[in-house]
C-alpha cells in the first residue's frame, strides 16, 4: 500500500477526500490528510506523492521546497475536489507515479 499525503487549509473536507481516494483505489493508497500548518511534522519517508487542495494551490512551490525534490507535489483541480471525485484523484496519483518513475513499495 502506497502512502499519499493530502494538504489543505483546515482538514475537514480533505479527510473526506482521503476516504474517497482510499475506497476508489481499492486500498492501494493509504491517504492521510493534514492542514498546511502541520503537514511538515507528519512527513513519512514512505510518502512519495503530496496532493494539495485547490484553495491552497498557491503554496505548491513552498510545499515542494519543504517536502524536498524526491517527492511529487500536485494540486487537485477545483472541480474534482468539489465533487469529492476519489476515482479521478486516484487516476491522477497513478499518472504521477508513472510520469515520475516512482517505485511502488513491496
Amino acid at each position: 500500500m502506497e502512502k499519499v499525503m493530502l494538504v489543505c487549509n483546515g482538514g475537514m473536507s480533505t479527510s473526506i477526500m482521503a476516504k474517497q481516494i482510499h475506497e476508489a483505489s481499492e486500498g492501494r493508497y493509504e491517504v492521510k490528510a493534514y492542514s498546511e500548518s502541520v503537514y511538515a511534522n507528519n512527513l513519512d519517508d514512505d510518502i512519495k506523492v503530496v496532493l494539495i487542495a485547490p484553495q491552497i494551490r498557491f503554496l505548491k512551490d513552498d510545499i515542494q521546497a519543504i517536502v524536498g525534490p524526491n517527492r511529487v507535489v500536485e494540486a487537485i483541480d477545483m472541480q474534482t475536489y468539489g465533487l469529492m471525485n476519489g476515482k479521478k484523484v486516484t487516476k491522477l496519483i497513478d499518472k504521477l507515479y508513472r510520469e515520475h518513475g516512482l517505485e511502488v513499495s513491496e
Side-chain angles (χ1 to χ4, degrees):
M1 181 180 324
E2 298 303 310
K3 293 183 179 181
V4 175
M5 177 179 278
L6 290 179
V7 182
C8 68
N9 206 13
M12 183 56 102
S13 60
T14 310
S15 295
I16 297 168
M17 177 60 84
K19 183 179 178 190
Q20 296 295 327
I21 296 166
H22 181 75
E23 289 174 3
S25 72
E26 298 177 346
R28 287 185 298 127
Y29 297 122
E30 176 186 346
V31 186
K32 301 279 183 160
Y34 297 97
S35 71
E36 58 94 13
S37 62
V38 300
Y39 77 92
N41 297 328
N42 293 285
L43 284 170
D44 184 323
D45 289 342
D46 294 337
I47 295 170
K48 298 171 186 151
V49 173
V50 178
L51 298 176
I52 57 177
Q55 65 267 32
I56 61 165
R57 65 185 174 274
F58 65 93
L59 294 174
K60 182 179 175 184
D61 291 341
D62 295 339
I63 291 170
Q64 185 70 68
I66 290 169
V67 303
N70 295 330
R71 292 187 176 99
V72 177
V73 177
E74 188 62 59
I76 301 170
D77 72 83
M78 191 158 308
Q79 182 177 14
T80 300
Y81 188 85
L83 294 172
M84 291 289 145
N85 189 336
K87 187 172 184 175
K88 190 169 180 182
V89 178
T90 297
K91 288 180 182 180
L92 170 64
I93 297 168
D94 291 341
K95 178 182 169 197
L96 293 171
Y97 265 82
R98 280 191 315 274
E99 288 181 351
H100 294 275
L102 299 173
E103 288 186 33
V104 176
S105 301
E106 297 295 321

